[in-house]
Coordinates of all heavy atoms in Angstrom, one line a residue:
E108 N -12.2 -3.0 5.9 CA -13.0 -1.9 6.5 C -13.9 -1.2 5.5 O -13.5 -1.2 4.3 CB -12.1 -0.9 7.2 CG -11.3 -1.4 8.4 CD -10.6 -0.3 9.2 OE1 -10.5 0.8 8.7 OE2 -10.2 -0.6 10.2
K109 N -14.9 -0.6 6.0 CA -15.8 0.2 5.1 C -15.6 1.7 5.3 O -15.9 2.5 4.4 CB -17.3 -0.2 5.3 CG -17.6 -1.6 4.9 CD -19.1 -1.9 5.1 CE -19.3 -3.4 4.6 NZ -20.7 -3.8 4.8
Q110 N -15.0 2.1 6.4 CA -14.8 3.4 6.8 C -13.8 4.1 5.9 O -12.7 3.6 5.6 CB -14.3 3.5 8.2 CG -14.0 4.9 8.6 CD -13.3 5.0 10.0 OE1 -13.0 4.0 10.6 NE2 -13.0 6.2 10.4
V111 N -14.2 5.2 5.2 CA -13.3 6.0 4.4 C -12.5 6.8 5.4 O -13.0 7.5 6.3 CB -14.1 6.9 3.5 CG1 -13.1 7.9 2.7 CG2 -14.9 6.1 2.5
R112 N -11.1 6.7 5.2 CA -10.2 7.4 6.1 C -9.4 8.4 5.2 O -9.2 8.1 4.0 CB -9.2 6.5 6.8 CG -9.8 5.5 7.7 CD -8.7 4.5 8.2 NE -9.3 3.5 9.0 CZ -9.3 3.5 10.3 NH1 -8.9 4.5 11.0 NH2 -9.8 2.5 11.0
G113 N -8.7 9.3 5.7 CA -7.7 10.1 5.1 C -6.5 9.1 4.8 O -6.3 8.2 5.5
R114 N -5.8 9.4 3.7 CA -4.6 8.6 3.4 C -3.4 9.4 3.0 O -3.5 10.3 2.2 CB -5.0 7.7 2.2 CG -3.8 6.8 1.7 CD -4.2 5.9 0.6 NE -3.1 5.0 0.3 CZ -3.1 4.2 -0.7 NH1 -4.1 4.1 -1.6 NH2 -2.0 3.3 -0.9
I115 N -2.3 9.2 3.7 CA -1.0 9.8 3.3 C -0.6 8.9 2.2 O -0.4 7.7 2.3 CB 0.0 9.8 4.5 CG1 -0.6 10.6 5.7 CG2 1.3 10.2 4.0 CD1 -0.7 12.1 5.4
H116 N -0.4 9.6 1.0 CA -0.2 8.8 -0.2 C 1.0 9.4 -1.0 O 1.1 10.6 -1.2 CB -1.5 8.9 -1.0 CG -1.7 7.8 -2.0 ND1 -1.1 6.6 -2.0 CD2 -2.5 7.8 -3.1 CE1 -1.5 5.8 -3.0 NE2 -2.3 6.6 -3.7
W117 N 1.9 8.5 -1.4 CA 3.0 8.9 -2.3 C 3.9 9.9 -1.7 O 4.2 11.0 -2.3 CB 2.5 9.4 -3.7 CG 1.8 8.3 -4.5 CD1 0.4 8.2 -4.6 CD2 2.3 7.2 -5.2 NE1 0.1 7.1 -5.4 CE2 1.3 6.5 -5.8 CE3 3.7 6.8 -5.4 CZ2 1.5 5.3 -6.5 CZ3 3.9 5.6 -6.1 CH2 2.8 4.9 -6.7
V118 N 4.5 9.7 -0.6 CA 5.5 10.6 0.0 C 6.8 10.4 -0.6 O 7.3 9.3 -0.7 CB 5.6 10.3 1.6 CG1 6.6 11.2 2.2 CG2 4.2 10.4 2.2
A119 N 7.4 11.5 -1.1 CA 8.7 11.4 -1.7 C 9.5 12.7 -1.7 O 8.9 13.8 -1.9 CB 8.6 11.0 -3.2
V120 N 10.8 12.7 -1.5 CA 11.7 13.8 -1.5 C 12.8 13.3 -2.4 O 13.4 12.2 -2.2 CB 12.2 14.2 -0.2 CG1 13.3 15.3 -0.3 CG2 11.1 14.7 0.7
V121 N 13.2 14.1 -3.5 CA 14.2 13.7 -4.4 C 15.5 13.4 -3.6 O 15.8 14.0 -2.6 CB 14.5 14.7 -5.5 CG1 13.2 14.9 -6.4 CG2 15.0 16.1 -5.0
P122 N 16.3 12.4 -4.0 CA 17.5 12.0 -3.2 C 18.4 13.0 -2.8 O 18.9 13.0 -1.7 CB 18.1 10.9 -4.2 CG 17.0 10.4 -5.0 CD 16.1 11.6 -5.2
E123 N 18.7 14.0 -3.6 CA 19.7 15.0 -3.3 C 19.2 16.0 -2.2 O 20.0 16.7 -1.6 CB 20.2 15.8 -4.5 CG 19.2 16.5 -5.3 CD 18.7 15.6 -6.5 OE1 18.7 14.3 -6.4 OE2 18.2 16.1 -7.5
Y124 N 17.9 15.9 -1.9 CA 17.4 16.7 -0.8 C 17.0 15.9 0.4 O 16.5 16.5 1.4 CB 16.2 17.5 -1.3 CG 16.6 18.7 -2.1 CD1 16.8 18.6 -3.5 CD2 16.9 20.0 -1.5 CE1 17.2 19.7 -4.2 CE2 17.3 21.0 -2.2 CZ 17.5 20.9 -3.6 OH 17.9 22.0 -4.3
Q125 N 17.2 14.6 0.4 CA 16.8 13.8 1.6 C 17.8 14.1 2.7 O 19.0 14.4 2.4 CB 16.9 12.3 1.2 CG 15.7 11.9 0.2 CD 15.8 10.5 -0.3 OE1 16.6 9.7 0.2 NE2 14.9 10.2 -1.2
G126 N 17.4 14.0 3.9 CA 18.2 14.3 5.1 C 18.3 15.8 5.4 O 19.2 16.1 6.2
K127 N 17.6 16.6 4.7 CA 17.6 18.0 5.0 C 16.4 18.5 5.8 O 16.0 19.7 5.7 CB 17.7 18.8 3.6 CG 19.0 18.4 2.9 CD 19.2 19.3 1.7 CE 20.4 19.0 0.9 NZ 21.7 19.2 1.6
K128 N 15.8 17.7 6.5 CA 14.7 18.0 7.4 C 13.4 18.5 6.7 O 12.8 19.5 7.1 CB 15.2 18.9 8.5 CG 16.3 18.3 9.3 CD 16.5 19.0 10.6 CE 17.7 18.5 11.4 NZ 17.6 17.1 11.8
L129 N 13.1 17.9 5.6 CA 11.9 18.3 4.8 C 10.7 17.4 4.9 O 9.6 17.8 4.8 CB 12.4 18.4 3.3 CG 13.5 19.3 3.0 CD1 13.9 19.2 1.5 CD2 13.1 20.7 3.3
S130 N 11.0 16.1 5.2 CA 9.9 15.1 5.3 C 8.9 15.4 6.4 O 7.7 15.3 6.2 CB 10.4 13.7 5.4 OG 11.2 13.3 4.2
K131 N 9.4 15.7 7.6 CA 8.5 16.0 8.7 C 7.6 17.1 8.5 O 6.4 17.1 8.7 CB 9.3 16.1 10.0 CG 9.9 14.8 10.5 CD 10.7 15.0 11.8 CE 11.3 13.7 12.2 NZ 12.2 13.9 13.3
P132 N 8.1 18.3 8.0 CA 7.2 19.4 7.7 C 6.1 19.1 6.6 O 5.0 19.5 6.7 CB 8.1 20.6 7.3 CG 9.4 20.2 7.9 CD 9.5 18.7 7.9
L133 N 6.6 18.3 5.6 CA 5.7 17.9 4.5 C 4.6 17.0 5.0 O 3.4 17.2 4.8 CB 6.5 17.2 3.4 CG 5.7 16.7 2.2 CD1 5.0 17.9 1.5 CD2 6.6 15.9 1.2
L134 N 5.0 16.0 5.9 CA 4.0 15.1 6.5 C 3.1 15.8 7.4 O 1.8 15.6 7.4 CB 4.7 13.9 7.2 CG 3.8 12.9 7.9 CD1 2.8 12.2 6.9 CD2 4.6 11.9 8.6
A135 N 3.6 16.7 8.2 CA 2.8 17.5 9.1 C 1.7 18.3 8.4 O 0.6 18.4 8.8 CB 3.6 18.4 10.0
K136 N 2.1 18.9 7.3 CA 1.2 19.8 6.5 C 0.1 18.8 5.9 O -1.1 19.1 5.9 CB 1.9 20.5 5.4 CG 1.0 21.3 4.5 CD 0.3 22.5 5.3 CE -0.5 23.3 4.3 NZ -1.3 24.3 5.0
A137 N 0.5 17.7 5.4 CA -0.4 16.8 4.7 C -1.4 16.3 5.8 O -2.6 16.2 5.5 CB 0.3 15.6 4.1
M138 N -1.0 16.0 7.0 CA -1.9 15.6 8.0 C -2.9 16.7 8.4 O -4.1 16.5 8.7 CB -1.2 15.1 9.3 CG -0.5 13.7 8.9 SD 0.5 13.0 10.2 CE -0.8 12.6 11.4
Q139 N -2.5 18.0 8.4 CA -3.4 19.1 8.6 C -4.4 19.2 7.6 O -5.6 19.4 7.9 CB -2.6 20.4 8.7 CG -1.6 20.6 9.9 CD -0.7 21.8 9.7 OE1 -0.9 22.6 8.8 NE2 0.3 21.9 10.6
V140 N -4.0 18.9 6.3 CA -5.0 18.9 5.2 C -6.0 17.8 5.4 O -7.2 18.0 5.3 CB -4.3 18.8 3.9 CG1 -5.3 18.5 2.7 CG2 -3.4 20.0 3.6
L141 N -5.5 16.6 5.8 CA -6.4 15.5 6.0 C -7.4 15.8 7.1 O -8.6 15.4 7.0 CB -5.6 14.2 6.5 CG -4.9 13.4 5.3 CD1 -4.2 12.2 6.0 CD2 -5.8 13.0 4.2
A142 N -6.9 16.5 8.2 CA -7.8 16.7 9.3 C -9.0 17.7 8.9 O -10.1 17.7 9.6 CB -7.1 17.4 10.4
K143 N -8.9 18.3 7.8 CA -10.0 19.2 7.3 C -11.2 18.3 6.8 O -12.3 18.8 6.7 CB -9.6 20.1 6.2 CG -8.6 21.2 6.6 CD -8.2 22.1 5.5 CE -7.2 23.1 5.8 NZ -6.8 23.9 4.7
Y144 N -10.8 17.1 6.3 CA -11.8 16.3 5.7 C -12.1 14.9 6.3 O -13.1 14.3 6.0 CB -11.3 15.9 4.2 CG -10.9 17.2 3.4 CD1 -9.6 17.5 3.2 CD2 -11.9 18.0 2.9 CE1 -9.2 18.6 2.5 CE2 -11.6 19.1 2.2 CZ -10.2 19.4 2.0 OH -9.9 20.5 1.2
H145 N -11.2 14.5 7.2 CA -11.3 13.1 7.8 C -11.1 13.1 9.3 O -10.4 14.0 9.8 CB -10.3 12.2 7.1 CG -10.4 12.2 5.6 ND1 -11.4 11.6 4.9 CD2 -9.7 12.9 4.7 CE1 -11.3 11.8 3.6 NE2 -10.2 12.6 3.4
D146 N -11.5 12.1 10.0 CA -11.3 11.9 11.4 C -10.2 11.0 11.7 O -9.6 11.1 12.8 CB -12.6 11.4 12.0 CG -13.8 12.3 11.9 OD1 -13.6 13.5 12.0 OD2 -14.9 11.8 11.8
S147 N -9.8 10.2 10.8 CA -8.6 9.2 10.9 C -7.9 9.1 9.7 O -8.3 9.6 8.7 CB -9.2 7.9 11.4 OG -10.0 7.3 10.4
A148 N -6.8 8.4 9.7 CA -5.9 8.3 8.5 C -5.2 6.9 8.5 O -5.1 6.2 9.5 CB -4.9 9.4 8.5
Y149 N -4.7 6.6 7.3 CA -3.9 5.4 7.1 C -2.9 5.7 6.0 O -2.9 6.7 5.3 CB -4.7 4.2 6.8 CG -5.2 4.1 5.3 CD1 -4.6 3.3 4.4 CD2 -6.3 4.8 4.9 CE1 -5.0 3.2 3.1 CE2 -6.7 4.8 3.6 CZ -6.1 3.9 2.7 OH -6.5 3.9 1.4
L150 N -2.0 4.8 5.9 CA -1.0 4.8 4.8 C -0.5 3.4 4.6 O -0.6 2.5 5.4 CB 0.2 5.8 5.2 CG 1.0 5.5 6.5 CD1 2.1 4.5 6.2 CD2 1.6 6.8 7.0
T151 N 0.2 3.3 3.4 CA 0.8 2.0 3.1 C 2.3 2.3 2.9 O 2.7 3.4 2.5 CB 0.2 1.3 1.9 OG1 0.4 2.2 0.8 CG2 -1.2 1.0 2.1

Side-chain angles (χ1 to χ4, degrees):
E108 292 188 351
K109 293 181 181 180
Q110 175 189 3
V111 173
R112 297 176 186 265
R114 180 179 186 185
I115 297 296
H116 202 23
W117 295 106
V118 180
V120 174
V121 299
E123 55 269 30
Y124 283 91
Q125 291 175 7
K127 298 191 182 297
K128 303 200 181 293
L129 300 172
S130 295
K131 288 178 184 176
L133 181 61
L134 180 58
K136 179 65 174 174
M138 291 180 70
Q139 290 170 11
V140 171
L141 283 182
K143 292 179 182 178
Y144 307 104
H145 307 282
D146 296 327
S147 61
Y149 79 102
L150 59 85
T151 61

